[in-house]
Amino acid sequence: MRRRTLLQALVVTLGTALAGALGWLAALFGISSAQGRPSGSRKWVALCSLAEIPEKEPLARSFRFQRLEGWYWQEVTRQVYVGRDRQGAPVVFSRRCTHLGCPVHWSATSSTFRCRCHGGVFTQLGEVEGGPPPRALDRVRHRISGEVLEVEEA
Ligand code: FES
């Protein structure tokens, strides 16, 4: 009888401790998540000045930002090309090939973006010109702030 009572007390104590630990973790996760960016808000990072964007060839650039992953902050680096559309407005392309994600490189001799993995070819405007990529290069949201081109952290 005494042994049974001792076991019951032990089970109740362990159950209470486990419930408390889970509650503490849930609260910690909730506080951590609340410190992240509110949904719907955007953060922008300066990429280059408008004067730096060449007329003819795209400019390779990268930018970094911190992103909340669960309960830790991760540094993210994005590789992009900055060019101009037919009207001369800035466009920003991801350097990830839309086939399987290999990096694309600008070829000055052919004036195309080329992917070395499977031979994907994109025009200067990011449209598919050849190879297996299923769609154009992804564009990165950007805006002009004064004389600076800014891109969205995403
Ligand atoms: S990953 Fe670029 S063509 Fe396959």
Side-chain angles (χ1 to χ4, degrees):
M1 183 76 174
R2 198 166 172 193
R3 190 173 174 183
R4 176 174 286 184
T5 306
L6 183 64
L7 280 174
Q8 285 175 337
L10 185 63
V11 167
V12 168
T13 303
L14 286 175
T16 304
L18 184 60
L22 289 174
W24 182 80
L25 281 174
L28 182 65
F29 181 76
I31 290 168
S32 176
S33 297
Q35 291 171 343
R37 189 183 320 162
S39 62
S41 70
R42 301 186 189 288
K43 288 186 78 175
W44 302 88
V45 59
L47 189 63
C48 63
S49 73
L50 294 178
E52 288 179 86
I53 306 171
E55 294 292 330
K56 301 241 182 245
E57 297 191 349
L59 178 71
R61 282 289 163 133
S62 64
F63 62 98
R64 292 179 182 184
F65 59 95
Q66 299 284 318
R67 181 173 62 197
L68 187 62
E69 291 288 338
W71 46 37
Y72 69 95
W73 288 91
Q74 180 183 33
E75 184 165 289
V76 177
T77 302
R78 294 274 187 250
Q79 308 281 329
V80 296
Y81 275 107
V82 188
R84 293 186 183 272
D85 65 14
R86 290 185 180 94
Q87 289 74 40
V91 287
V92 183
F93 300 107
S94 167
R95 277 200 238 175
R96 293 189 67 204
C97 178
T98 53
H99 180 222
L100 294 177
C102 290
V104 296
H105 301 275
W106 174 251
S107 166
T109 54
S110 63
S111 294
T112 55
F113 293 104
R114 297 192 165 261
C115 176
R116 294 183 182 132
C117 288
H118 312 103
V121 182
F122 301 87
T123 68
Q124 189 164 354
L125 293 175
E127 298 149 349
V128 177
E129 190 172 280
R135 64 177 197 281
L137 289 174
D138 292 327
R139 291 191 178 203
V140 178
R141 290 177 60 103
H142 63 277
R143 70 180 185 184
I144 295 170
S145 177
E147 290 300 311
V148 176
L149 180 68
E150 296 179 335
V151 287
E152 183 181 13
E153 294 181 356

